[in-house]
Amino acid sequence: MSTEQRAILVIGIGAGDPDHLTLAAIKAIRRVDVFFVIGKGPDKSALTDLRLSMIEEHARAPYRVVEADDPSRDRRPMDRSDYTGAVQDWRTRRADVFERLMREEMAEGETGAFLVWGDPTLYDSTLAILADIEARGTVSAVVEVVPGISSVSSLAARHRIPLNQVGRPVHITPARRLSEVGQNDDGDIVVMLDADESFTRVDGEDVWIYWGAYLGTPDELLVAGPLREVSDRIRRTRSAARARHGWIMDTYLLRIVAPGEAPPGAPRPGGGA
């Protein structure tokens, strides 16, 4: 039996545009023996299909694709301690799936890969789950991370704005912590994982929002403008998109703007974003 160790590549594939694959990601895909594709059910089959199309275009034969279902997660409204517990339970069950795949579907010396949306280091659980598996000591693998273009970078690029303002901070937060961030010492706030439209509870006439959903895909949606003026429009757009697709992935930037100032990326005359 070979004594070579397994290898796992965690490859960032960008926010949805196949052209956002980096050269490093393409080179990594070409090294893979087995791709692990974790599906999120029929409503999100487009996410699986995009991964499979990237593999088909860039992988080098022979390779294998092994698909598995993502464990369900409790998404009911809950306080922070209950939320943390629900996420930890989901991650544990997800680690069980990953561990089984790595143990049963990879031979010693082979290279496996998980293709991760956006960047694996930003609001993604894959690296933490692999660390959990390593701590269990049941499956040994060398993990390599290939960064990708995050939804945050894609959002700023599509709105034609810099992510930061001169000398000011940028705070990245999940929506459930937005109320604790406040106006972030005159800085900007990137909000992720907002299922409850927390932007509708932000006060301030001087706040602009740059919002995007399905970034990099043919279904991409963009809205920008003073928060008080475009908040209802974003809510209607989100509702219609969720009804049409059955799911939505979106993020946004909140920026404090001086009265009368036209910020970078302001809507074009007659345009939407």
Side-chain angles (χ1 to χ4, degrees):
M1 179 179 294
S2 171
T3 58
E4 292 184 86
Q5 194 169 20
R6 299 176 178 91
I8 290 290
L9 306 182
V10 183
I11 305 172
I13 60 173
D17 186 342
D19 288 342
H20 284 180
L21 275 180
T22 65
L23 290 176
I26 292 172
K27 290 178 181 178
I29 288 172
R30 291 173 179 169
R31 294 164 47 195
V32 175
D33 299 301
V34 53
F35 294 91
F36 300 120
V37 178
I38 310 300
K40 293 182 178 293
D43 288 343
K44 295 185 178 181
S45 60
L47 302 180
T48 298
D49 293 342
L50 182 56
R51 282 191 177 97
L52 294 176
S53 67
M54 290 179 176
I55 293 170
E56 182 177 358
E57 180 174 358
H58 298 293
R60 286 180 174 168
Y63 63 84
R64 307 187 303 282
V65 175
V66 178
E67 299 187 47
D69 292 330
D70 200 10
S72 61
R73 176 178 149 192
D74 188 349
R75 297 185 180 275
R76 296 172 299 171
M78 56 188 74
D79 61 28
R80 187 185 303 177
S81 61
D82 290 338
Y83 172 79
T84 301
V87 171
Q88 289 298 337
D89 172 71
W90 171 69
R91 285 189 173 184
T92 298
R93 289 183 290 113
R94 214 175 194 223
D96 293 340
V97 174
F98 284 24
E99 179 185 358
R100 176 181 59 80
L101 294 176
M102 293 165 61
R103 183 179 62 251
E104 297 179 359
E105 303 292 344
M106 288 179 65
E108 294 291 335
E110 285 194 321
T111 297
F114 294 92
L115 304 187
V116 173
W117 291 109
D119 182 271
T121 67
L122 183 63
Y123 283 94
D124 183 82
S125 64
T126 304
L127 294 179
I129 289 170
L130 291 174
D132 180 20
I133 295 171
E134 181 180 8
R136 296 178 182 184
T138 53
V139 180
S140 179
V142 175
V143 176
E144 180 180 337
V145 181
V146 181
I149 296 175
S150 70
S151 62
V152 177
S153 296
S154 184
L155 176 77
R158 295 296 294 131
H159 280 292
R160 301 169 289 116
I161 59 172
L163 191 59
N164 66 291
Q165 300 183 78
V166 177
R168 297 182 185 180
V170 176
H171 192 111
I172 302 178
T173 182
R176 63 175 34 250
R177 304 289 294 272
L178 179 58
S179 61
E180 301 172 24
V181 177
Q183 291 190 341
N184 192 32
D185 191 26
D186 199 31
D188 297 334
I189 305 170
V190 174
V191 183
M192 307 185 76
L193 308 177
D194 190 356
D196 299 318
E197 299 179 342
S198 301
F199 56 86
T200 61
R201 298 184 288 278
V202 175
D203 294 324
E205 295 182 1
D206 55 351
V207 178
W208 273 57
I209 185 170
Y210 299 87
W211 175 85
Y214 312 107
L215 292 162
T217 75
D219 299 311
E220 180 179 274
L221 299 167
L222 299 171
V223 177
L227 179 58
R228 288 188 174 184
E229 295 180 14
V230 302
S231 178
D232 286 343
R233 178 182 168 195
I234 294 173
R235 291 183 66 184
R236 293 193 302 269
T237 302
R238 288 186 90 256
S239 177
R242 184 185 290 277
R244 185 166 59 252
H245 298 290
W247 58 279
I248 190 168
M249 291 197 306
D250 61 342
T251 188
Y252 54 90
L253 173 84
L254 298 176
R255 170 159 291 168
I256 298 173
V257 178
E261 180 181 346
R268 302 183 183 95

